[in-house]
Amino acid sequence: MTRKNLGRATLAALPFVLALIVGLVVHLTVQDRLPDRLAVHFDAGGSADRYMGITAYLLYGLGTLLVLGALWAVFAVNGNLYGRGRSWLIGGGFALAAFLGYVLIAVLLVNVDAPEGGPADGFPLWHVAVAVGAGTVAWPIGALLSRLAPAPEGPDDDGGGASRERIALADGEVAGWARGIGAWWAPLAVLALLAAAVAVGRDLSWFAGAPLAVLALVIGTFCRPHVTVDRRGLTVSGLLPKPQVRVPLERMKGADSRRVNAFAEYGGWGYRVRPDRSGVITRSGEAIVVSLTSGREFAVTVDDSATGAALLNTLLDRQRAGR
């Protein structure tokens, strides 16, 4: 690991390590005053309804912080993070670590000198407000500290796009390109949403479960989305004519083929909208990335993205020549 990567990983994992250390110190301070079984879950009124041994609680709570710290470090090193993306990752990590760390410590504190049946006062709800406040305060601190982490260089922008790939077409020759996108998670998401819709409809009301069923149907139409490049621009469509996403040539500056990181750059999978980019992201990997005249980017992950991007650049050249 290079020194820059080590710096990014350390800063990303730091809040989780600090929360873990504080949690251990608090436990060592009060361990002689804790019951054998801790009340670890409370109902809406604050009364205990689930219990766990001290060792199991420590392994669960501190293990969670370790895993999250490791994940944040991986995202910081492997993600193409710069500008706001880096600030959101580090700031969000500080906020999450502060929230979880306080909750884990608060559970220990309410169990101090408590009988086996759990604390008499339960879990005061003001602890939740304090945990949210701790996360709110920690977020801007992490965002400010993110400026200390060396960021990877942003995507290259050659301005006029002269170095972008093209496909040679004769005068008057017409060309198009289409590819299907494999989205392995889409069928699983559809099944999960349908199951949730049935469960909510049966236990609460079918009116409450209807939105989940509609969302499942919408995702189902994109179980096998298609990407098309032609004289109209770039189009991403599902099994039905609508909904679809289309980026016309008039809105484009140029297109490139490059690898994208689904989580680090776009925050997950599906149709994603971020402050400086949007896209249809079904996985991490190669994608057509279109630079828009607005200064934003639109990306779609698809195989053979180099061919699609090259054809878009050729069609853009033709359109500009026609003007």
Side-chain angles (χ1 to χ4, degrees), residues 24-55:
L24 283 176
V25 170
V26 172
H27 172 259
L28 292 175
T29 303
V30 302
Q31 61 179 343
D32 295 334
R33 301 170 58 190
L34 295 174
D36 292 335
R37 289 197 318 152
L38 301 178
V40 298
H41 191 272
F42 304 85
D43 60 23
S47 300
D49 58 7
R50 195 176 304 167
Y51 303 87
M52 185 180 292
I54 295 177
T55 302

Side-chain angles (χ1 to χ4, degrees), residues 191-205:
L191 292 176
L193 286 170
L194 288 177
V198 172
V200 171
R202 183 183 59 193
D203 296 338
L204 296 178
S205 71

Side-chain angles (χ1 to χ4, degrees), residues 15 19 91-106 126-142:
F94 271 73
L96 180 60
F99 177 86
L100 291 179
Y102 182 85
V103 170
L104 292 172
I105 292 171
W126 60 263
H127 280 301
V128 178
V130 174
V132 172
T136 303
V137 171
W139 185 297
I141 294 175

Side-chain angles (χ1 to χ4, degrees), residues 11 36 49 52 65-66 75 82 86 97 113 115 122 141 151 194-195 213 232 241 258-259 263 265 274 279 293 296 321:
L11 184 57
D36 292 335
D49 58 7
M52 185 180 292
L65 292 174
L66 282 175
F75 295 149
Y82 51 94
R86 180 177 41 148
D113 298 328
I141 294 175
L194 288 177
R232 296 172 297 180
R258 73 167 188 259
R259 297 187 65 82
F263 189 89
E265 295 183 67
R274 302 300 294 272
T293 55
R296 293 170 55 83

